[in-house]
């Protein structure tokens, strides 16, 4: 298993897309901060040159973060069936393949997230007007997002390992993390006692997290972690079982 993980890590580090995505993400963060700073210095009564507005782009940008996660996961799962077939033929267990391809890109993705978070705080507090406890508010809102982003990453992984097309994967992610709340609200509106279920949908939680952040009232909420854990456990348990039985041709 150790040798397989090392070989996968070697392959991962040779993927140019990983470095390009990371660089573009960090450059965009930096550019956004300098643009807001420039406008704040040169435009009269410009209201958006604040750390709160700057940080809100992350809290509101969960879909962009999920797309970055998609790119990182695809580095070891995209168009990779021939490599998987060779690994299986050499005696590497499917369990090892599934979890190695899950965890290696995840570690690098989380590392990029931490770097991006620190970069935003440095830029936001030095280039823009800092509003009160903006850092604490930002970190709490980010922690609420974390389990949902991880749930999205795990969904991406199982769909890629089960050879589901990229378009269908992206459509499912859009539905779950953008429209699921509206769908559940319409679905359960006539059902007595279930009208509030939509509030636990990922899209509803992400919207509420953004509103709380903008009102300077972000706080750790168990609902994000429960929903994120349910998404993660359900997708991983189902995905691991299906992949173990999947025909690799």
């Amino acid at each position: 298993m150790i040798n397989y993980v090392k070989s996968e890590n070697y392959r991962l580090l040779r993927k140019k897309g990983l470095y390009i995505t990371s660089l573009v993400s960090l450059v965009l963060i930096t550019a956004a901060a300098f643009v807001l700073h420039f406008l704040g210095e040169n435009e009269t009564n410009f209201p958006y040159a604040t750390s709160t507005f700057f940080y809100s782009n992350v809290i509101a940008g969960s879909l962009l973060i999920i797309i970055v996660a998609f790119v990182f996961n695809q580095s070891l799962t995209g168009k990779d069936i021939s490599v998987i077939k060779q690994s299986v033929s050499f005696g590497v267990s499917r369990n090892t393949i599934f979890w190695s391809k899950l965890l290696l890109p995840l570690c690098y993705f989380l590392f990029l997230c931490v770097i991006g978070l620190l970069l935003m705080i440095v830029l936001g507090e030095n280039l823009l007007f800092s509003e009160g406890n903006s850092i604490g508010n930002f970190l709490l809102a980010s922690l609420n997002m974390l389990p949902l982003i991880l749930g999205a990453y795990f969904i991406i992984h199982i769909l890629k390992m089960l050879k589901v097309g990229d378009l269908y994967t992206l459509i499912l992610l859009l539905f779950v993390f953008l429209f699921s709340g509206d769908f559940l609200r319409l679905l359960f509106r006539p059902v007595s006692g279930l009208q509030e279920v939509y509030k636990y949908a990922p899209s509803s939680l992400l919207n509420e997290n953004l509103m709380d952040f903008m009102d300077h009232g972000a706080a750790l909420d168990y609902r994000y972690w429960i929903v994120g854990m349910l998404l993660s456990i359900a997708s991983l348990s189902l995905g691991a079982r299906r992949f173990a039985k999947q025909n690799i041709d």
Side-chain angles (χ1 to χ4, degrees), residues 6-221:
K6 288 181 178 179
S7 67
E8 288 294 279
N9 188 55
Y10 176 76
R11 290 183 59 241
L12 180 65
L13 294 177
R14 289 173 62 85
K15 299 287 186 177
K16 293 182 181 179
L18 226 60
Y19 299 102
I20 294 173
T21 302
S22 301
L23 181 61
V24 168
S25 299
L26 297 177
V27 168
L28 288 176
I29 289 173
T30 304
F34 276 97
V35 167
L36 291 176
H37 172 72
F38 175 80
L39 293 175
E41 293 290 319
N42 294 278
E43 295 288 336
T44 305
N45 299 323
F46 183 72
Y48 303 116
T50 66
S51 59
T52 296
F53 179 79
F54 181 49
Y55 299 151
S56 71
N57 288 276
V58 169
I59 308 304
S62 55
L63 285 177
L64 291 177
I65 297 173
I66 290 171
I67 290 173
V68 174
F70 180 88
V71 173
F72 269 71
N73 182 266
Q74 193 176 38
S75 61
L76 286 183
T77 57
K79 299 180 181 179
D80 211 19
I81 299 302
S82 61
V83 178
I84 294 177
K85 288 174 63 177
Q86 293 174 9
S87 300
V88 172
S89 66
F90 282 116
V92 180
S93 71
R94 295 192 180 205
N95 192 52
T96 297
I97 293 172
F98 182 88
W99 292 105
S100 296
K101 290 182 179 292
L102 170 75
L103 295 175
L104 278 174
L106 177 60
C107 290
Y108 288 105
F109 169 67
L110 291 177
F111 178 72
L112 174 63
C113 289
V114 171
I115 296 300
L117 202 70
L118 294 176
L119 178 62
M120 289 200 70
I121 291 174
V122 170
L123 294 173
E125 298 304 310
N126 288 279
L127 293 180
L128 305 170
F129 175 73
S130 180
E131 299 177 305
N133 188 28
S134 58
I135 296 178
N137 200 39
F138 178 46
L139 291 176
L140 287 172
S142 298
L143 284 174
N144 284 335
M145 287 178 64
L146 177 60
L148 298 177
I149 297 298
L150 288 176
Y153 181 91
F154 296 145
I155 291 173
I156 292 168
H157 181 70
I158 67 161
L159 294 178
K160 293 297 294 181
M161 295 300 288
L162 297 177
K163 298 185 288 186
V164 176
D166 291 347
L167 178 61
Y168 296 109
T169 299
L170 292 174
I171 289 174
L172 177 62
L173 292 172
L174 283 173
F175 172 76
V176 173
F177 294 95
L178 194 61
F179 302 115
S180 57
D182 294 331
F183 174 76
L184 290 178
R185 180 166 52 186
L186 291 174
L187 181 65
F188 291 117
R189 179 180 293 173
V191 183
S192 177
L194 296 179
Q195 290 92 343
E196 302 297 308
V197 169
Y198 78 94
K199 293 183 178 180
Y200 289 85
S203 65
S204 298
L205 291 173
L206 290 170
N207 287 334
E208 182 178 339
N209 191 46
L210 174 61
M211 294 300 102
D212 289 342
F213 171 78
M214 295 303 296
D215 291 337
H216 305 282
L220 287 178
D221 191 326

